Amino acid sequence: MAQMTMIQAITDALKTELKNDENVLVFGEDVGNNGGVFRATEGLQKEFGEDRVFDTPLAESGIGGLAIGLALQGYRPVPEIQFFGFVFEVMDSISGQMARMRYRSGGSQHAPVTIRSPFGGGVHTPEMHADSLEGLMAASPGLKVVIPSNPYDAKGLLISAIRDNDPVIFLEHMKLYRSFRQEVPEEEYTIPLGKADIKREGKDLTIIAYGAMVQESLKAAEELEKEDYSVEVIDLRTVQPLDIETIIASVEKTGRAMVVQEAQKQAGIAASVVAEITDRAILSLDAPVLRVTAPDTVFAFSQAEEVWLPNAKDIVETAKKVLTF
Amino acid sequence: MAAKKSQQFDPVKTLSEIEEKFEMFQVLNEEGEIVNKEADPKLSDEDLQELMRRMVYTRILDQRSISLNRQGRLGFYAPTAGQEASQIASHFALKKEDFILPGYRDVPQLIWHGWPLEQAFLFSRGHFMGNQMPEGLNVLPPQIIIGAQFIQATGVALGMQKRKKEAVAITYTGEGGSSQGDFYEGINFAGSFRAPAIFIVQNNQYAISTPREVQTAAKTIAQKAVAAGIPGIFVDGMDPLAVYAVTRDARERAIKGDGPTLIETFCYRYGPHTMAGDDPTRYRTSDIDSEWEKKDPLVRFRKYLEGKDLWSEEKETEVMDQAKEEIKAAIKKADGAPKQKVTDLLGIMYEEMPFNIKEQMDIYKAKESK
């Protein structure tokens, strides 16, 4: 086992699948010689050649269309959208085209595309780089949306995503790229899509989170433990489809739940999770299911992002409301 | 590159010089005479007859589709009359292994590529069995989003290049489609990768009601190829021999590894945009219609073939009768398709059903069994 950052684990997963399956192609803006703006594809073009790891012209819609066409020729494309804020340029290819490939072809075609893309706040990017747009993706039937919270999961989830026969949006939180290392096996392994992970067991409250908010939620759980609250933390890992079984089993056990997301409050994943809980477990609840989110503005300019982003303190505050309701 | 300082660059003059070069390419004039002997693709007599047969058949299919739509027996339909040379003659230059990415008006090319007629009718009715393409048929169902097929065509072409296939990806849109970003991204990516793609813009003069001159300041759509660094050609889209010749040449270049071509076929649709309430008299005059009727691809090709003693009224009647018979049989077959169910659609959203779809499947199964 090696100690890896999340970005290294991602490179390792790409390398694993490029080796495993000659139909895997990695492409996008600056992913070739430059190895990507975050070095996620570092060394891959050298190892696997320009035929399989290549730069494209600078146009996100073109990249999405290219992926669809390559999938129609039996390839397993893994394009990179340089920053997920640029997704608006490629919305038709994603939501209008690849997500509907099975539907449109009466189930006779599919698009096994994995779109990788960095997102997430706390790293002082310019506008349109950091926004959490997973809710937008989750609203498109036909897509799966995966957001790892740590290096180990990133590798196993990315390998699963690439092998999946449906289009997967794989979102990589920029703050997690190099913020910590973890033991990551050098051999291949998969983590199933659609399966959440119980990061910490507890009996008084369930915190459901994903991406960078998992770390914040774990910090909050530790704080709360000092006050004798026993908090369970669930990392969704896949936000579409949700792992309802794990969520509901936990809520039925603790009787209290809250959802934490970095995205704005309006619509979005947290709202879906709350709805699923009230649909299925309202009689197990001792308190309303509250949310910790960013405010309903577009992602804050970097001067304001520290306040804008939810953190462990906010989570503790809301958790106490749920715990003492 | 050494800059010429003595002479000032004249961008206006350069543009007009480039635009003048995009003259319309024609082989067969309105009278059915070969006006460009060197460019005559010299099709065999059998091929000439087959091309005529397909165009006549397609005109009948269009007429029947329009009346079936009026009777409520077909759904979405975009008329094709007038565009036979653009559609059928370009398709005539293709091989079975070539992959077609059509716009919604390009049903005829799919049919001549092997899409069963009854499936085209099911597609029109919004039934998913229409879109279940038979094994080995290299096509996508007609695209609804204008221009989306252009970037996908580049992907298919790049895949063919990587697989070392001797085949091309061909895609169609209208002159309105050439205003989309995806049009430019598609031709630009294909040029950058030297991908074996053929991009056809059927300039039928109106994007629904919006006239050609509103779409762009460019004198031709074909010249947009220059910006992408790929060959472009402006062709008489009512001339089957010219359209055939330029598509065949584009295909040869693509197969040789010389990259993509943009073809603008200058043509006209005689009917409305679609059968969903478009009224062309709101934006076209009957004078314009009759101008274009003189250019009818079927008329000029019939004259040409009759002059060579390759076509006759009897032959034409035979094709028309055959078309009508086959259309009748296909509609009957389409009528026999099982009713479309919501559970069918739920079942094809993913390879494996996630929890939400499983639950909804149960709900709709119950609804549908009532």
Side-chain angles (χ1 to χ4, degrees):
Chain A
M1 288 239 240
Q3 288 279 326
M4 288 191 201
T5 59
M6 193 167 94
I7 197 93
Q8 289 169 329
I10 286 163
T11 312
D12 196 45
L14 290 170
K15 200 189 267 190
T16 304
E17 286 313 277
L18 279 161
K19 243 184 234 164
N20 270 338
D21 183 349
E22 60 181 23
N23 291 319
V24 171
L25 301 174
V26 171
F27 54 92
E29 296 156 8
D30 310 300
V31 306
N33 176 47
N34 195 42
V37 290
F38 288 100
R39 308 290 174 260
T41 53
E42 176 88 60
L44 298 181
Q45 187 178 64
K46 218 169 199 171
E47 187 170 347
F48 298 97
E50 287 178 29
D51 193 45
R52 298 190 59 206
V53 179
F54 54 93
D55 288 330
T56 64
L58 199 168
E60 287 77 19
S61 186
I63 292 169
L66 199 69
I68 293 165
L70 287 164
L72 288 166
Q73 288 296 305
Y75 286 102
R76 210 165 264 284
V78 189
E80 176 179 297
I81 299 299
Q82 198 159 63
F83 290 91
F84 206 58
F86 310 165
V87 71
F88 297 107
E89 293 283 352
V90 62
M91 276 302 285
D92 178 55
S93 279
I94 296 175
S95 298
Q97 306 292 328
M98 61 183 80
R100 292 163 186 255
M101 188 61 84
R102 286 183 191 279
Y103 176 83
R104 180 169 297 138
S105 65
S108 62
Q109 306 264 22
H110 64 288
V113 179
T114 301
I115 295 181
R116 288 185 40 252
S117 190
F119 80 109
V123 289
H124 303 290
T125 52
E127 204 193 347
M128 299 301 294
H129 285 61
D131 299 62
S132 290
L133 298 166
E134 63 276 9
L136 200 64
M137 296 291 104
S140 290
L143 296 180
K144 294 179 181 176
V145 186
V146 176
I147 306 181
S149 71
N150 61 74
Y152 179 89
D153 285 1
K155 179 173 173 182
L157 288 167
L158 183 52
I159 292 175
S160 293
I162 294 170
R163 293 181 187 177
D164 198 276
N165 284 331
D166 288 305
V168 180
I169 309 300
F170 191 89
L171 299 176
E172 304 163 2
H173 199 291
M174 285 183 270
K175 202 172 179 191
L176 299 176
Y177 267 159
R178 294 187 171 87
S179 60
F180 64 99
R181 286 170 191 270
Q182 216 178 19
E183 292 280 314
V184 176
E186 274 155 80
E187 60 270 23
E188 64 172 75
Y189 61 92
T190 58
I191 294 172
L193 305 187
K195 283 304 283 178
D197 185 26
I198 300 172
K199 303 299 286 184
R200 187 183 201 280
E201 294 207 27
K203 50 187 194 330
D204 300 328
L205 168 69
T206 302
I207 299 180
I208 299 143
Y210 58 92
M213 288 299 116
V214 173
Q215 291 301 322
E216 295 302 313
S217 299
L218 287 169
K219 273 187 230 162
E222 267 169 45
E223 280 304 306
L224 290 159
E225 198 178 11
K226 289 178 194 160
E227 297 178 43
D228 279 341
Y229 291 116
S230 161
V231 177
E232 182 143 311
V233 177
I234 294 177
D235 176 1
L236 286 175
R237 300 199 289 204
T238 300
V239 299
Q240 169 64 35
L242 292 168
D243 181 358
I244 286 301
E245 267 177 54
T246 301
I247 296 168
I248 298 303
S250 175
V251 172
E252 282 172 348
K253 179 176 74 175
T254 61
R256 291 170 201 269
M258 57 186 279
V259 193
V260 186
Q261 71 179 16
E262 184 176 314
Q264 300 86 338
K265 192 169 201 173
Q266 63 187 63
I269 304 298
S272 283
V273 173
V274 174
E276 294 294 345
I277 293 171
T278 56
D279 275 3
R280 292 155 204 275
I282 197 153
L283 294 178
S284 305
L285 292 174
D286 298 321
V289 185
L290 298 187
R291 286 172 283 169
V292 176
T293 68
D296 288 334
T297 72
V298 298
F299 189 90
F301 287 116
S302 56
Q303 285 276 312
E305 74 179 2
E306 300 304 326
V307 183
W308 192 87
L309 288 165
N311 58 30
K313 211 171 135 248
D314 302 324
I315 299 168
V316 168
E317 235 168 69
T318 302
K320 283 187 180 166
K321 283 187 201 160
V322 179
L323 283 160
T324 59
F325 180 81
Chain B
M1 219 183 292
K4 276 189 199 168
K5 282 183 189 155
S6 57
Q7 213 178 335
Q8 179 132 22
F9 177 76
D10 184 343
V12 177
K13 191 166 151 239
T14 305
L15 173 64
S16 76
E17 279 169 5
I18 289 171
E19 291 196 315
E20 273 165 29
K21 294 214 164 96
F22 282 86
E23 277 177 31
M24 195 195 298
F25 174 77
Q26 193 186 54
V27 176
L28 198 64
N29 70 10
E30 291 170 28
E31 303 310 318
E33 300 154 353
I34 300 272
V35 291
N36 189 345
K37 256 203 161 105
E38 273 157 45
D40 179 359
K42 298 202 170 61
L43 285 166
S44 70
D45 289 351
E46 293 73 37
D47 277 349
L48 288 169
Q49 285 169 318
E50 177 59 14
L51 181 51
M52 183 63 183
R53 188 181 78 80
R54 292 185 184 188
M55 293 205 299
V56 171
Y57 192 112
T58 304
R59 180 69 62 90
I60 296 298
L61 175 61
D62 185 60
Q63 290 168 357
R64 289 298 300 138
S65 299
I66 288 170
S67 74
L68 286 164
N69 172 283
R70 290 197 174 122
Q71 295 160 29
R73 299 186 68 197
L74 273 190
F76 173 77
Y77 183 70
T80 59
Q83 295 187 211
E84 289 87 352
S86 293
Q87 296 183 326
I88 309 303
S90 62
H91 178 265
F92 205 64
L94 302 181
K95 297 215 157 60
K96 198 172 177 290
E97 52 272 27
D98 297 332
F99 198 111
I100 306 176
L101 296 96
Y104 47 72
R105 204 179 305 283
D106 303 310
V107 168
Q109 297 96 302
L110 298 191
I111 288 170
W112 292 112
H113 216 52
W115 197 25
L117 212 44
E118 68 268 21
Q119 282 196 278
F121 291 151
L122 285 170
F123 157 78
S124 165
R125 290 175 176 181
H127 195 302
F128 83 159
M129 280 173 71
N131 296 4
Q132 290 169 334
M133 293 303 169
E135 192 65 39
L137 176 59
N138 296 312
V139 303
L140 274 184
Q143 176 62 246
I144 299 300
I145 299 300
I146 308 291
Q149 66 273 32
F150 265 52
I151 46 177
Q152 295 170 13
T154 298
V156 171
L158 183 62
M160 288 169 158
Q161 181 194 73
K162 289 185 183 299
R163 298 258 185 239
K164 300 189 170 49
K165 288 185 181 173
E166 271 210 11
V168 303
I170 184 165
T171 187
Y172 296 84
T173 190
E175 83 285 358
S178 73
S179 298
Q180 289 276 14
D182 280 355
F183 162 86
Y184 179 70
E185 292 185 28
I187 63 172
N188 187 57
F189 272 52
S192 171
F193 295 128
R194 288 182 89 79
I198 302 174
F199 299 100
I200 297 194
V201 173
Q202 300 178 71
N203 173 5
N204 65 12
Q205 316 304 324
Y206 297 90
I208 306 188
S209 69
T210 307
R212 155 66 182 82
E213 60 268 25
V214 174
Q215 294 299 337
T216 175
K219 200 170 150 219
T220 64
I221 307 294
Q223 75 197 54
K224 293 190 176 195
V226 175
I230 69 170
I233 184 153
F234 179 50
V235 61
D236 181 353
M238 309 299 265
D239 171 357
L241 293 182
V243 173
Y244 173 82
V246 299
T247 314
R248 180 202 57 191
D249 293 350
R251 189 179 186 279
E252 272 169 22
R253 277 196 298 277
I255 299 273
K256 266 195 350 219
D258 290 343
T261 301
L262 174 65
I263 298 170
E264 174 187 1
T265 66
F266 196 71
C267 61
Y268 198 73
R269 70 167 146 79
Y270 294 139
H273 163 66
T274 68
M275 293 306 294
D278 177 44
D279 172 11
T281 64
R282 293 172 71 89
Y283 53 88
R284 299 193 307 215
T285 63
S286 55
D287 285 352
I288 299 175
D289 285 343
S290 40
E291 269 308 299
W292 280 94
E293 270 156 27
K294 287 184 209 144
K295 299 178 199 290
D296 193 323
L298 269 67
V299 172
R300 77 173 77 172
F301 205 44
R302 185 185 295 122
K303 280 185 188 158
Y304 173 61
L305 292 195
E306 279 173 352
K308 289 172 78 90
D309 216 14
L310 292 172
W311 201 252
S312 62
E313 217 180 304
E314 296 87 73
K315 266 207 167 71
E316 186 140 337
T317 313
E318 209 178 289
V319 178
M320 289 163 75
D321 289 345
Q322 188 203 357
K324 285 177 191 162
E325 275 306 305
E326 289 180 5
I327 291 163
K328 214 167 132 187
I331 273 287
K332 217 174 152 194
K333 254 189 167 169
D335 288 343
K339 203 168 166 253
Q340 184 78 81
K341 292 182 296 191
V342 172
T343 46
D344 293 333
L345 306 181
L346 283 167
I348 55 169
M349 287 312 301
Y350 293 91
E351 183 172 42
E352 280 173 50
M353 283 185 269
F355 83 95
N356 51 327
I357 302 243
K358 270 187 206 154
E359 284 180 356
Q360 291 157 19
M361 191 67 133
D362 291 340
I363 296 166
Y364 281 86
K365 261 187 192 156
K367 276 193 186 188
E368 286 167 355
S369 68
K370 272 176 200 163

